[in-house]
Amino acid sequence: MKESMIIIGGGVAGLTAAAMLANDGHQVTVLEQSREWGGCAGKFSRKKFLFPVGATLGMGFEEGGIHERIFNHLHIPMQELPVQKLEEVMNIHLPNKTITFHRDRNEHVESLVRAFPEHKQKIMRFYQKLYEIAAKVRALMVELPVLPPQTRNEWLGLLHSLNVSSLTLLPYFPKTVGHLLKKFDLLNTPFKHFIDGQLIDSMQVKSEQCACILGCLALDIYHEGAFYVEGGLYQVAHRLADHAKGNGGVLMLGRKAERMVRTGNKWTVTDHRGNDYRADHVISSLPVQVLPDLLSETDLRSLGYTLRKKTAEETWRTMTLYLTLKETDTIMNMPLFQQICTSESGEMSEGNHIFMSLSNGTDRVRAPEGYRTMTVSTHIDLSYWKAKEEYDKRKIFMQEKMIAAILSVYPDFKEAVEQVECGAPKAWERYTGRPGGMVGGFGQSRNNSLFFSLSHRTKLPNFWLCGDSIFPGAGTIGVSVGAYHVYSSITGKKLSQ
């Protein structure tokens, strides 16, 4: 007999789990507190303009990518997704130079050698080792093993993924990307700032903290495929939601889960309107920091020390600007994706490093002809934003600082700006339901990654976790893998390779 599921959160993680479980015939109910599907990969509109809330650069759509594998499993035609593969992924602007990130690995290394000719041989050797490590990690990940393994089958699955070549990765497990930079005498160079810019966006930490194994994979992953998605990554969420509904799923917007009560192995979830939903399983795709508000004290204690400790751990927040732009010559010549690092010393937060995503000139979903929309984001530390007076001043300061960063590269940028809307932490909290507007999950340091990451399993019966707090971490590809692990653990079924 098929079981019933309540899924809390309608982002990509929750909807992936919903679509896969509903596809298998399970009774699925999704509760999403906002009025949009997609969470951090959602959207909002202002008159004729559409803005992606956060995540913008698409990955995992290539052959063998996680989205392609899941869509094939669900028989959702990939050709329906309006994606464009990028040969030039983004431009990265350091204080004194601009670097183009090429999808082709050889072109990419050549562009970096041109940017840092004084370190030519060191950079070439660094990337030779980085690509070698990443290739071995990718081979391990084909079967999507679970970390940290909790059951006999999960250990067997991990062992099945290993081969003789995998053993050469062992010396790098306790290392950081910083160790790799030091090995090739690149640690105290501007090249490190380039590496840190890539890692802070994908891994939420700089090279000196970033776990070497996953950091190498993150620095290599754009070469496997980076994509512009017309409209935004919410397109993935909407197709998953439609598939879940088409298979009998009940998906509800504007329903905030406020309490979870366990009776034996059964669960009752109560929303903010006082409605009760009963099911055999509960799957939370929310940050683990919300669990103390949802669970009883008894169930919270039963989660175990490691997970309880993580519920109190701080993560990054974000400040995001949403801009409506006229199609001036400056805008027409801009790459779609860019990073700007303004700090000579390589600072990567509070506006010293920004990520920009510009709508394609042909994207009529996001803007009418003659216009574009742009999102600009940076990492922030909430300690600067706590008092209301500090918050309001900081919001204005950060908006001006982020615009100034763009002007440092594009002096005529202001001529294109028609409107700016600010997404500060409180706005993110209202929209996504994440405490303090936290994004990106836990930074992938050695203490938070691989065997030290959080499992999708909990010690509570039939209570599962997915989302960016859980292995393998943030981004639509990371949370999709986590959701698949939940599906596989409940059903015993695997994705085809």
Side-chain angles (χ1 to χ4, degrees), residues 72-140:
N72 284 346
H73 176 85
L74 298 173
H75 302 291
I76 301 174
M78 277 297 293
Q79 60 268 28
E80 289 183 4
L81 270 177
V83 300
Q84 170 194 342
K85 183 178 278 190
L86 303 170
E87 294 302 321
E88 294 185 357
V89 178
M90 70 177 83
N91 274 10
I92 300 97
H93 306 279
L94 300 180
N96 299 310
K97 59 192 69 187
T98 294
I99 301 157
T100 299
F101 195 118
H102 294 273
R103 188 182 73 83
D104 181 86
R105 289 178 176 85
N106 291 330
E107 283 188 59
H108 181 59
V109 174
E110 287 170 8
S111 70
L112 287 167
V113 165
R114 287 194 297 272
F116 303 98
E118 67 277 21
H119 302 300
K120 176 179 178 179
Q121 295 302 322
K122 298 173 186 177
I123 289 172
M124 291 175 69
R125 290 197 300 270
F126 172 82
Y127 271 97
Q128 182 179 5
K129 177 56 67 176
L130 185 152
Y131 290 151
E132 175 190 315
I133 293 171
K136 292 174 182 177
V137 178
R138 277 200 312 278
L140 281 174

Side-chain angles (χ1 to χ4, degrees), residues 166-227:
S166 307
L167 298 177
T168 61
L169 292 172
L170 289 176
Y172 297 98
F173 270 88
K175 304 292 186 182
T176 65
V177 175
H179 283 106
L180 202 61
L181 287 166
K182 184 178 181 180
K183 177 179 180 179
F184 295 100
D185 196 22
L186 290 165
L187 196 56
N188 298 309
T189 68
F191 174 74
K192 175 184 178 293
H193 302 165
F194 165 79
I195 294 295
D196 284 344
Q198 303 305 303
L199 293 175
I200 197 72
D201 273 343
S202 58
M203 306 295 280
Q204 314 302 317
V205 287
K206 292 167 63 175
S207 56
E208 51 263 46
Q209 295 93 29
C210 185
C212 187
I213 295 288
L214 288 183
C216 288
L217 188 64
L219 292 168
D220 177 72
I221 200 164
Y222 292 136
H223 300 303
E224 291 297 294
F227 298 82

Side-chain angles (χ1 to χ4, degrees), residues 276-384:
D276 289 336
Y277 308 87
R278 295 176 177 83
D280 299 306
H281 297 259
V282 169
I283 302 163
S284 173
S285 68
L286 306 179
V288 296
Q289 288 87 344
V290 306
L291 296 181
D293 295 329
L294 290 175
L295 293 167
S296 69
E297 284 192 25
T298 300
D299 283 339
L300 189 62
R301 285 196 300 271
S302 298
L303 287 176
Y305 173 77
T306 300
L307 182 49
R308 282 205 320 276
K309 183 180 177 183
K310 289 290 188 184
T311 65
E313 191 170 312
E314 288 287 328
T315 63
W316 287 111
R317 272 67 171 180
T318 188
M319 167 87 170
T320 307
L321 302 181
Y322 304 99
L323 294 89
T324 303
L325 305 172
K326 292 178 290 187
E327 181 110 73
T328 63
D329 289 343
T330 296
I331 301 304
M332 287 180 67
N333 292 315
M334 271 191 179
L336 298 179
F337 299 99
Q338 300 181 78
Q339 293 179 0
I340 300 176
C341 177
T342 57
S343 168
E344 294 279 356
S345 60
E347 292 297 319
M348 292 290 161
S349 63
E350 294 289 327
N352 293 304
H353 174 270
I354 62 175
F355 184 82
M356 302 162 56
S357 169
L358 176 68
S359 68
N360 198 321
T362 60
D363 190 341
R364 297 283 76 85
V365 179
R366 283 180 61 178
E369 189 170 354
Y371 290 88
R372 308 269 197 107
T373 64
M374 176 185 280
T375 61
V376 186
S377 61
T378 189
H379 289 75
I380 62 169
D381 182 343
L382 199 61
S383 61
Y384 293 112

Side-chain angles (χ1 to χ4, degrees), residues 469-482:
S469 302
I470 310 306
F471 175 82
T476 61
I477 55 176
V479 301
S480 296
V481 172

